[in-house]
Amino acid sequence: MSTGIFTLADKLQGLNRNLHDQRRERVASSKLRAALETSVGEFRQAKRLSGPETEALFGGRALVGVDGSVSQVGGNYPYTVHLFKSLAKSTLPARNGATSVEQVELLSPLLADNLREIKNFLEERRHEIRVTEGLDDEVLVNDLAEQQAYFMLADKRMVEMELKAAMEAIERFSPYLVLMDGGFSRLKGKGGELWEEFEDLALTMGTIVVGVIEEVGSFRLQSRLANHEDVLNGFLHRHDREILFGTLNQGEWLKTSLDRPIKNEFYTVFTRLSDLPQAGACDFLRGQADAVDDVIDFLYTITPSKSRGIPLWLDVVDAEVRLTKKQIDLIVKSNVDVENIESFLRPQRDRRDF
Amino acid sequence: MQIVGQTTQLEAWVASRTRKFHINEILIIEDRDHRHPKAEVIETRTFNRYIPLASEQSNLVDTSVLEGLRSVGFDIEDEEIHLGKLRLIEELPTPIRVGAPARVPSFAEVEDLLIKRKPHEGLTLGVIQGSREIAKDMPESLQNVALLFDKENGVGEQGGVPFVFDYRSMDQYPHIGIFGGSGSGKSFGLRVLLEELMLKQVPAVVFDPHFELTFDQEFPNLPEDFRHSFKKRFVTLDAGEDIGIEFSELIADDIVSLLRASSGSITDAMETAIKALHKKSDSFLTYSTRMANLAEALDNEKEIREQSRDEYLNPNDRERVKLLNDLLVKYKDKVGGFSGTLRSVLRRLTRLEMEGVFTSAGTKKVEEAFAKRQLVVIRGSMYFLNVFAFYVVRKLYRKRRDYRDSIQKGRPVEEKFPPFVIITDEAHNFAPKGDVPAPAKGVLKEIAQEGRKYGVFLVFATQRPALLDDTITAQLSTKLVFRTVRSVDIAVIKEETDITAEEAARLPYLSSGTAFLSSAITGRTTAVRIRVSKTTSPHFKNPFEELEEGFAEQDEKVWEAVLPSLPIDASNLNAYLTEIGRKVGRLLSFDELEKTLEDFVDQGRLLKVSTPFGARYNKA
Ligand SMILES: Nc1ncnc2c1ncn2[C@@H]1O[C@H](COP(=O)(O)OP(=O)(O)OP(=O)(O)O)[C@@H](O)[C@H]1O
Ligand SMILES: [Mg+2]
């Protein structure tokens, strides 16, 4: 064995020491909590609802979970296909007996229609798409730009399908609560008009919609805490996830102030729904912020304490929406001829045989 | 129900959200390209993907979570997925279509597969496992022909398609093996098979070492139209009483194997002597006398040689001396000159004679019963049956063979002799594997190989197929395999049947009375639950209950008999013996009467009081 590995081990130990030193500079957790209470909101302890309490809360209406999945088949752009599936699953059946809404789509630069769409998209978003400067080869630059446009389009497609499934579910099931997998920023950012429509529909139908975030990715707390001396000491990057890690107790949530919300468009609270120490978050529509106490109690109720901190219903939807590698292999192989797979859709790495 | 996952030309998985699969049930796969093939479920699974195993990362789900979801309308426990592994009844040229729907067939669609014979044409042994749903639209003639039994619920409905064994095809695919560990249901299954043979009036002879095969006691709590009396359809014969061996029919080799079977082993010297001294058609008397004389002659050899030259001997003596001398001349060299050997043989022979083995009864009673198409049960200890089986089997087989041969060759037929079945439990004792000797092994092997031609068939039950003679095992065209735990036996079963790996894996866990029937006649392995028997063995009762009941009954009889004689003079019990004995119906000994009276005192039913005339038993 080469000795390089020992050198790496040494370097890792150095890193580890560094991190320890950093953490040592942190203030006591009580001090951090006090600062969060003054500048962000109050800590609340969620309670597990009893059966009758849950029933009273829902008033006979359903719970819907929404999730999407994307699978990629093939190799590098443009020899690739994206398969989309979105699912909104209800706990109660609709009048026709159905319990879910499902959408599927396919996107690939190998299809002429799609390719045209990609090119148009590229034109529209030219300003957003930046390709590494200094490249002289114009063809290559264009290819890279096209590829980026394609991936953006794929993201957009996924969001649209999730929103569409959610909207259809609201119409069909008229649920009390809709849980979206992931925060609202992505939905709004990529959904555009469709998001506005979704928001409007939820508000008119009186359906509460919540974006459930497994692990916070925002960067908002540090500015709020900036005027508290030293509480941010020892945090490397001061991301919200770093600040909240281990700060909340199990079942505890940080009820951010409604007057000074930490995101402008939505109402967001931080949660710890399972025994894992990292914090999650929930996005609410501003107009539905009063429901937050009840909803968090309910989400806590349906989150297994030994889990990744996601309400089980979203896990159920996630399991159902996902296409496994096996399934994908199977449908591709049984619907696309071998010669087509070999010449267009075979990723390079599959051909290596070690 | 739908075909999922990967398929082959022979196997596939079928999944359903709502319906559990039953092991061994038959389904139709709606794969048009393959003309809707039929398949059997060979493995079943159910799982709930939202309640993963505790060992996986997300542990068992808290009850609050389940309750919370249930309150909003979703019961996670309903989210089971049922899977069944299918094996096609017939292999296809290409794999089954994935995604093809599957369904439970109607009875008409699988009738040909499941019912080879109507119940009145074959042996109705039990119910095909996994056929409950199919049986719903089964014609009436197939219903209530094979009721089932289990210990908790007693006699219950048939609940499935009956399994009817096409016994007439045994002329092509002869012989049946019944294998299974202790308590697996062999004897029970054998009883059902015998009942069916009796219903068809097939002559048969059973060797019954356990004294359990009588058919006059009815199985309790059978519904009226399922009952049947077999009283006229069988006879029981006791080996050594109703059946004997006609010594004059034996050849020297037979005597050797008889003695070997009855006394474990014999020496080479004994074997030589037995053979040397035997003459065709010897009776027991002529043979044993010859042997005794020779032994005497060997002991007194010198005198006899001298006396034989003595001209003045009286005529009686002279005759005797000549006899002995002739024996010496003729046999001495052949038997080795040692009288001890002969006496050992004689002792063994005499013992058999005293046990009643050599009577002139022969197999007459068996033949009479065969003429009436009855079942003959020959009872005796294992040791005894081993001695008799070879003789009885050989004799019956020869008669049948001679009869067939005469017809074949157009010779005049003297005596008609029917085809028949030979049945035995503990078959590995009659025909053990390897070079373990057993008197009947030779003829049984011959029947295993040739019996088919003459209409003579074997039904061999054993706990230990691994100990049964290989040639015979290989000739058993139908095998009924009950629960088997021992791996050596499972290995033999795997080799000698078309049982699959999945089925073999189930063998150790089969419930008593469930068996795999692997047969060249049915062409595939069928899992069968053996029906309830219509009769029951005399010791079907729990032995300890039987003990209690039996003695209580006996005590009651004596009590009734004692009552009128009270008070009883304890010093003169002899005076009461005849009187009480008559009432009880058997002779009582002094000791027994005294003990019984004392028992009654212990039980508080009698009082023992002292009087001036000695002790006396009074009514309490
Ligand atoms: N077909 C059946 N239906 C219901 N119960 C059965 C059936 N077969 C067997 N049993 C039950 O199992 C018990 C044992 O069966 P059986 O006496 O036939 O076992 P066995 O295989 O002959 O055992 P052994 O080798 O020890 O003689 C029976 O007393 C009965 O209670
Ligand atoms: Mg038995």
Side-chain angles (χ1 to χ4, degrees):
Chain A
M1 194 194 283
S2 82
T3 51
I5 195 98
F6 297 111
T7 317
L8 274 178
D10 274 350
K11 288 189 187 287
L12 280 171
Q13 281 171 18
L15 170 68
N16 190 36
R17 264 192 305 278
N18 235 315
L19 293 172
H20 265 297
D21 293 346
Q22 291 269 359
R23 287 169 58 130
R24 220 170 292 135
E25 288 172 33
R26 290 185 191 177
V27 298
S29 128
S30 56
K31 207 166 167 198
L32 174 61
R33 286 172 61 101
L36 287 167
E37 273 196 311
T38 10
S39 303
V40 182
E42 15 168 351
F43 290 101
R44 290 286 181 91
Q45 178 64 41
K47 74 171 184 137
R48 294 200 190 275
L49 301 178
S50 70
E53 283 169 331
T54 307
E55 280 165 31
L57 182 62
F58 276 70
R61 296 169 76 186
L63 166 69
V64 166
V66 181
D67 200 355
S69 79
V70 199
S71 323
Q72 194 187 348
V73 181
N76 290 335
Y77 187 86
Y79 302 109
T80 185
V81 178
H82 276 71
L83 306 172
F84 302 91
K85 181 175 164 194
S86 69
L87 176 75
K89 185 176 167 74
S90 166
T91 54
L92 290 171
R95 220 174 297 146
N96 68 355
T99 55
S100 63
V101 175
E102 193 181 290
Q103 308 225 337
V104 287
E105 260 187 62
L106 182 149
L107 184 69
S108 170
L110 294 171
L111 292 172
D113 278 359
N114 284 174
L115 186 62
R116 209 170 311 121
E117 201 180 338
I118 295 163
K119 297 202 162 171
N120 290 340
F121 191 77
L122 177 60
E123 283 320 307
E124 272 171 44
R125 306 286 177 102
R126 200 89 226 191
H127 58 283
E128 290 175 37
I129 295 167
R130 267 197 308 270
V131 177
T132 335
E133 322 241 323
L135 274 178
D136 303 335
D137 187 340
E138 206 169 308
V139 181
L140 183 60
V141 168
N142 205 51
D143 263 10
L144 283 173
E146 206 176 283
Q147 179 178 351
Q148 258 193 52
Y150 172 65
F151 283 117
M152 283 170 65
L153 187 61
D155 280 352
K156 180 166 175 283
R157 187 59 44 90
M158 185 72 266
V159 164
E160 286 168 355
M161 286 175 63
E162 283 172 50
L163 286 173
K164 279 188 202 152
M167 283 161 67
E168 197 178 330
I170 293 176
E171 278 166 347
R172 277 221 212 152
F173 304 109
S174 176
Y176 166 71
L177 180 63
V178 173
L179 301 179
M180 307 296 291
D181 189 50
F184 284 170
S185 309
R186 169 177 155 269
L187 297 178
K188 181 169 175 166
K190 307 221 154 110
E193 277 175 26
L194 209 53
W195 166 264
E196 314 290 332
E197 230 181 284
F198 167 71
E199 192 173 353
D200 185 55
L201 180 67
L203 291 170
T204 19
M205 297 286 288
T207 292
I208 299 167
V209 292
V210 176
V212 179
I213 300 162
E214 183 177 346
E215 198 168 355
V216 284
S218 50
F219 192 53
R220 313 228 166 211
L221 295 175
Q222 68 127 11
S223 60
R224 291 297 177 84
L225 296 174
N227 50 354
H228 295 266
E229 50 171 324
D230 28 321
V231 292
L232 290 176
N233 287 352
F235 289 107
L236 271 177
H237 291 278
R238 303 177 174 185
H239 281 289
D240 296 353
R241 60 167 284 173
E242 215 185 326
I243 295 170
L244 290 172
F245 188 92
T247 305
L248 295 169
N249 298 318
Q250 184 173 349
E252 201 175 34
W253 55 291
L254 182 55
K255 183 173 183 184
T256 52
S257 154
L258 263 170
D259 309 329
R260 287 185 64 208
I262 61 155
K263 288 184 199 168
N264 291 326
E265 318 96 302
F266 320 118
Y267 175 57
T268 303
V269 298
F270 298 102
T271 56
R272 178 179 168 190
L273 298 175
S274 78
D275 69 349
L276 287 188
Q278 72 247 18
C282 290
D283 286 342
F284 287 74
L285 298 177
R286 312 250 352 218
Q288 295 182 330
D290 345 336
V292 68
D293 296 82
D294 287 337
V295 169
I296 300 293
D297 281 348
F298 174 68
L299 296 185
Y300 182 49
T301 306
I302 62 163
T303 304
S305 59
K306 303 267 182 214
S307 73
R308 58 189 179 112
I310 283 291
L312 186 70
W313 191 242
L314 279 178
D315 266 342
V316 167
V317 178
D318 176 71
E320 212 165 304
V321 77
R322 194 174 302 157
L323 293 168
T324 64
K325 181 158 186 337
K326 257 193 180 168
Q327 285 174 316
I328 293 166
D329 275 0
L330 212 70
I331 53 168
V332 171
K333 281 189 189 138
S334 47
N335 295 290
V336 184
D337 290 338
V338 180
E339 58 263 40
N340 282 333
I341 295 179
E342 283 297 331
S343 49
F344 296 115
L345 291 176
R346 178 79 143 191
Q348 285 296 329
R349 62 178 175 283
D350 266 17
R351 293 213 187 100
R352 285 193 293 199
D353 40 3
F354 56 85
Chain B
M1 279 187 254
Q2 196 175 27
I3 300 300
V4 295
Q6 282 190 10
T7 64
T8 69
Q9 77 291 352
L10 189 63
E11 289 185 344
W13 284 91
V14 58
S16 165
R17 280 191 165 277
T18 49
R19 184 180 177 281
K20 282 204 163 96
F21 293 100
H22 299 269
I23 190 84
N24 299 122
E25 74 178 325
I26 299 216
L27 299 176
I28 288 188
I29 303 171
E30 296 191 319
D31 178 350
R32 203 170 310 124
D33 297 344
H34 290 118
R35 299 212 257 117
H36 303 306
K38 296 179 185 111
E40 180 177 355
V41 174
I42 55 170
E43 200 181 312
T44 62
R45 287 187 196 173
T46 288
F47 71 95
N48 189 321
R49 58 196 170 137
Y50 304 134
I51 309 185
L53 294 174
S55 64
E56 285 177 17
Q57 48 126 27
S58 52
N59 286 351
L60 270 182
V61 179
D62 316 47
T63 51
S64 87
V65 176
L66 298 185
E67 191 182 353
L69 285 179
R70 202 176 297 126
S71 308
V72 296
F74 180 80
D75 198 340
I76 232 177
E77 282 151 45
D78 289 345
E79 287 299 291
E80 284 178 337
I81 294 186
H82 310 290
L83 286 175
K85 187 174 185 184
L86 295 178
R87 169 158 313 111
L88 294 189
I89 305 292
E90 281 169 37
E91 202 177 30
L92 299 173
T94 53
I96 303 156
R97 181 164 66 85
V98 177
R103 62 176 171 85
V104 176
S106 71
F107 178 73
E109 288 172 298
V110 286
E111 180 168 6
D112 289 350
L113 186 65
L114 300 183
I115 301 277
K116 305 280 181 201
R117 289 282 160 193
K118 294 278 165 355
H120 64 273
E121 298 164 336
L123 311 183
T124 308
L125 297 182
V127 178
I128 297 172
Q129 290 276 92
S131 65
R132 174 175 283 274
E133 219 170 312
I134 293 171
K136 282 192 184 127
D137 58 348
M138 187 169 71
E140 197 147 345
S141 63
L142 296 176
Q143 287 169 17
N144 298 318
V145 295
L147 301 186
L148 298 182
F149 170 74
D150 76 73
K151 279 203 177 123
E152 276 79 57
N153 308 310
V155 179
E157 53 159 358
Q158 173 174 320
V161 177
F163 178 82
V164 182
F165 181 67
D166 180 14
Y167 72 112
R168 293 185 193 189
S169 296
M170 281 183 37
D171 76 325
Q172 280 219 52
Y173 303 109
H175 316 309
I176 301 175
I178 301 180
F179 302 150
S182 179
S184 62
K186 285 184 309 301
S187 300
F188 206 102
L190 199 56
R191 169 172 295 275
V192 169
L193 181 69
L194 293 176
E195 286 176 2
E196 290 292 322
L197 285 174
M198 283 190 278
L199 285 170
K200 297 289 176 298
Q201 305 201 19
V202 177
V205 56
V206 197
F207 295 96
D208 175 21
H210 303 307
F211 289 76
E212 62 185 6
L213 292 173
T214 52
F215 302 88
D216 33 24
Q217 199 159 317
E218 194 169 84
F219 198 94
N221 304 320
L222 291 180
E224 191 54 44
D225 53 2
F226 197 67
R227 294 168 54 193
H228 191 95
S229 169
F230 293 93
K231 285 188 179 143
K232 297 212 178 94
R233 300 262 42 98
F234 80 104
V235 289
T236 46
L237 302 179
D238 286 325
E241 232 166 83
D242 303 309
I243 307 198
I245 296 180
E246 278 193 71
F247 194 88
S248 56
E249 292 175 8
L250 299 179
I251 59 170
D253 279 336
D254 296 342
I255 301 171
V256 172
S257 33
L258 268 185
L259 293 192
R260 193 175 273 141
S262 59
S263 54
S265 67
I266 56 174
T267 61
D268 289 351
M270 283 158 74
E271 187 173 337
T272 318
I274 292 166
K275 287 180 178 165
L277 283 182
H278 188 259
K279 286 186 182 166
K280 196 161 181 275
S281 312
D282 257 341
S283 70
F284 180 76
L285 193 65
T286 57
Y287 185 66
S288 58
T289 309
R290 185 175 311 121
M291 197 169 279
N293 284 343
L294 180 60
E296 188 192 328
L298 285 172
D299 286 342
N300 307 302
E301 189 178 351
K302 216 168 133 229
E303 291 156 53
I304 289 168
R305 295 228 189 256
E306 275 166 16
Q307 283 177 5
S308 66
R309 286 188 294 261
D310 183 348
E311 283 169 27
Y312 303 102
L313 223 54
N314 77 47
N316 276 354
D317 287 349
R318 181 172 319 145
E319 206 175 316
R320 173 97 189 133
V321 166
K322 178 170 178 341
L323 176 90
L324 295 181
N325 193 42
D326 287 351
L327 284 174
L328 277 176
V329 172
K330 192 160 176 196
Y331 295 113
K332 184 188 165 192
D333 292 344
K334 292 183 182 149
V335 303
F338 181 50
S339 66
T341 309
L342 297 180
R343 261 191 289 275
S344 293
V345 174
L346 269 175
R347 254 196 310 279
R348 287 167 168 73
L349 273 177
T350 315
R351 175 162 155 231
L352 285 182
E353 146 75 8
M354 280 173 38
E355 281 168 339
V357 172
F358 303 122
T359 68
S360 60
T363 56
K364 217 167 93 231
K365 290 196 171 161
V366 182
E367 288 161 44
E368 281 167 11
F370 273 17
K372 289 190 260 174
R373 300 178 64 175
Q374 283 174 321
L375 173 80
V376 180
V377 182
I378 300 182
R379 310 194 295 187
S381 63
M382 195 64 238
Y383 141 77
F384 231 52
L385 289 181
N386 226 328
V387 170
F388 275 98
F390 107 93
Y391 171 77
V392 172
V393 169
R394 190 177 62 189
K395 183 149 175 187
L396 299 176
Y397 182 55
R398 280 190 184 153
K399 288 208 163 194
R400 173 64 187 168
R401 202 175 56 188
D402 291 348
Y403 169 68
R404 288 295 299 188
D405 284 347
S406 324
I407 293 182
Q408 198 106 44
K409 293 176 185 148
R411 284 199 298 254
V413 179
E414 284 164 25
E415 202 182 354
K416 206 171 161 152
F417 205 88
F420 62 97
V421 183
I422 300 162
I423 298 130
T424 173
D425 205 345
E426 313 288 358
H428 59 276
N429 283 319
F430 293 95
K433 186 186 191 129
D435 23 274
V436 183
K441 187 151 99 175
V443 62
L444 290 172
K445 263 167 112 158
E446 188 180 339
I447 294 174
Q449 289 168 317
E450 310 258 279
R452 187 171 77 85
K453 286 195 291 198
Y454 303 108
V456 178
F457 304 104
L458 302 175
V459 175
F460 267 16
T462 176
Q463 282 200 16
R464 301 302 321 276
L467 301 184
L468 187 62
D469 180 81
D470 303 330
T471 326
I472 294 185
T473 310
Q475 296 291 333
L476 302 170
S477 307
T478 298
K479 288 167 184 108
L480 198 54
V481 185
F482 289 88
R483 179 177 62 240
T484 305
V485 179
R486 252 187 264 250
S487 54
V488 277
D489 292 325
I490 293 181
V492 170
I493 289 163
K494 269 182 168 163
E495 198 159 301
E496 295 291 342
T497 64
D498 53 10
I499 275 180
T500 60
E502 282 90 358
E503 285 155 350
R506 284 168 61 197
L507 281 179
Y509 310 102
L510 291 179
S511 61
S512 296
T514 300
F516 287 117
L517 191 133
S518 157
S519 173
I521 297 178
T522 35
R524 65 186 202 103
T525 302
T526 315
V528 178
R529 172 92 187 143
I530 300 298
R531 69 163 171 81
V532 65
S533 52
K534 299 184 185 223
T535 59
T536 178
S537 117
H539 39 250
F540 186 63
K541 273 184 198 159
N542 177 311
F544 298 105
E545 273 169 29
E546 176 194 318
L547 196 64
E548 296 302 325
E549 283 173 24
F551 279 85
E553 208 172 89
Q554 196 175 324
D555 278 0
E556 245 8 77
K557 260 191 179 168
V558 180
W559 175 248
E560 296 291 320
V562 162
L563 263 181
S565 307
L566 291 175
I568 289 175
D569 183 354
S571 59
N572 196 15
L573 285 184
N574 276 331
Y576 303 87
L577 287 177
T578 340
E579 176 71 17
I580 294 175
R582 183 139 38 86
K583 286 182 186 149
V584 178
R586 70 191 165 85
L587 215 56
L588 291 178
S589 69
F590 179 94
D591 287 347
E592 192 184 346
L593 182 59
E594 187 178 34
K595 180 178 173 300
T596 311
L597 292 173
E598 287 298 323
D599 282 350
F600 288 148
V601 173
D602 288 345
Q603 290 163 16
R605 293 211 253 184
L606 289 182
L607 286 177
K608 191 173 184 182
V609 292
S610 308
T611 72
F613 315 102
R616 211 174 245 184
Y617 295 100
N618 281 350
K619 190 155 188 264

